């Protein structure tokens, strides 16, 4: 399985993602510039955290129009795994690959800490190594992480089991329904504000994020009907 980590101007977690896959999981992974127009030969694509284009206009709004985005959308439509964390999640919503959007934290402050999460859906390409309702802890680091959507969209997300991670015991940003991560209807696109790539080794303080990447590597060649 060959995985692309897309690098945008302002990405700052691309190395974290790359090393989690390369050094810890021993996966075949490559950096791909936002300037490229093709993802031919890749089986999955990952969008890292950071501040693409300085978060001007709106977080992820400019990155959505880069050369690489049509190829990412094509992969998603083909049923291949597409993952975005933090700014990557914001980009996926801006591109219409995931429902809703991310707005400024209710506190109006940048929040950086480890938070408890509940695994709501362990039956996805990305979460099969977890258990439903399992509690895990992952780092967050964002100023625009409050998930919002209209009531109809929220109802659909809940009814279709598209909510994958939910903030447990505390809501650090004001996300509706305590949502920390969601998939598309077909389950092959996952976006989340927490950073699993920062929790893959004991020396980092937690290995709770490792199973997400292990799940992907085990299931990633299973093409979802999109």
């Amino acid at each position: 399985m060959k995985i692309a980590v897309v690098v945008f101007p302002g990405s700052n977690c691309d190395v974290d993602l790359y090393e989690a896959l390369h050094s810890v999981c021993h996966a075949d992974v490559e950096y791909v510039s936002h300037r490229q127009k093709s993802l031919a030969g890749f089986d999955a694509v990952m969008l890292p955290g950071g501040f693409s284009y300085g978060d001007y206009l709106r977080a992820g709004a400019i990155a959505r129009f880069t050369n690489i985005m049509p190829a990412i959308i094509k992969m998603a439509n083909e049923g291949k795994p597409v993952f975005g964390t933090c700014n990557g999640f914001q980009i996926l919503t801006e591109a219409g690959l995931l429902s809703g959007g991310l707005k400024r934290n209710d506190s109006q402050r940048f929040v950086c800490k480890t938070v408890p999460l509940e695994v709501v859906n362990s039956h996805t390409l990305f979460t099969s190594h977890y258990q439903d309702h399992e509690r895990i802890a992952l780092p967050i680091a964002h100023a625009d992480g409050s998930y919002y959507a209209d009531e109809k969209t929220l109802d659909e997300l809940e009814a279709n089991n598209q909510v994958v991670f939910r903030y447990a015991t505390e809501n650090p940003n004001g996300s509706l329904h305590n949502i920390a991560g969601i998939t598309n209807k077909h389950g092959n696109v996952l976006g989340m504000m927490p950073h699993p790539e920062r929790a893959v080794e004991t020396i980092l303080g937690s290995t709770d994020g490792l199973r997400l990447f292990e799940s992907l590597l085990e299931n990633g060649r299973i093409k979802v009907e999109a």
Side-chain angles (χ1 to χ4, degrees):
M1 185 180 183
K2 189 173 183 180
I3 303 172
V5 173
V6 178
V7 183
F8 298 95
S11 294
N12 65 9
C13 300
D14 44 332
V15 176
D16 304 55
L17 268 178
Y18 180 92
E19 294 300 337
L21 289 161
H22 173 72
S23 298
V24 181
C25 297
H26 308 293
D28 183 4
V29 56
E30 290 184 15
Y31 293 116
V32 175
S33 169
H34 66 100
R35 296 186 179 91
Q36 299 300 313
K37 296 182 179 181
S38 173
L39 287 169
F42 288 99
D43 303 295
V45 60
M46 299 199 157
L47 282 63
F51 305 91
S52 59
Y53 294 90
D55 281 350
Y56 290 116
L57 299 183
R58 188 172 58 247
I62 299 178
R64 181 263 177 273
F65 293 100
T66 54
N67 288 347
I68 196 64
M69 283 309 301
I72 295 172
I73 293 169
K74 181 175 183 288
M75 285 190 74
N77 291 338
E78 290 174 346
K80 294 181 179 179
V82 177
F83 172 74
T85 177
C86 200
N87 190 230
F89 185 12
Q90 296 161 345
I91 294 169
L92 291 174
T93 61
E94 290 289 336
L97 290 175
L98 290 174
S99 302
L102 287 308
K103 64 178 179 62
R104 181 70 52 166
N105 298 342
D106 281 3
S107 66
Q108 298 297 305
R109 294 182 177 182
F110 183 87
V111 179
C112 182
K113 61 181 179 177
T114 297
V115 297
L117 302 173
E118 177 190 0
V119 180
V120 182
N121 182 358
S122 65
H123 307 285
T124 76
L125 295 173
F126 308 91
T127 56
S128 61
H129 283 214
Y130 296 101
Q131 300 294 321
D132 281 348
H133 308 299
E134 180 179 355
R135 292 291 179 90
I136 63 175
L138 294 179
I140 60 170
H142 57 252
D144 298 273
S146 180
Y147 181 81
Y148 71 100
D150 59 36
E151 284 301 320
K152 179 181 178 182
T153 299
L154 290 169
D155 289 344
E156 289 177 352
L157 290 173
E158 300 287 0
N160 295 332
N161 295 316
Q162 290 174 245
V163 178
V164 177
F165 296 104
R166 211 185 299 272
Y167 296 111
T169 72
E170 67 169 312
N171 186 328
N173 50 38
S175 290
L176 297 179
H177 290 209
N178 296 323
I179 288 172
I182 62 171
T183 66
N184 62 344
K185 288 184 178 180
H186 302 289
N188 65 302
V189 180
L190 170 65
M192 59 191 296
M193 288 311 297
H195 289 270
E197 75 280 7
R198 294 183 179 177
V200 293
E201 293 183 290
T202 303
I203 195 172
L204 298 176
S206 172
T207 60
D208 284 350
L210 180 58
R211 283 177 285 161
L212 185 145
F213 300 106
E214 291 175 336
S215 299
L216 171 64
L217 291 169
E218 181 178 286
N219 303 316
R221 283 194 174 276
I222 303 172
K223 183 176 287 189
V224 176
E225 291 297 326

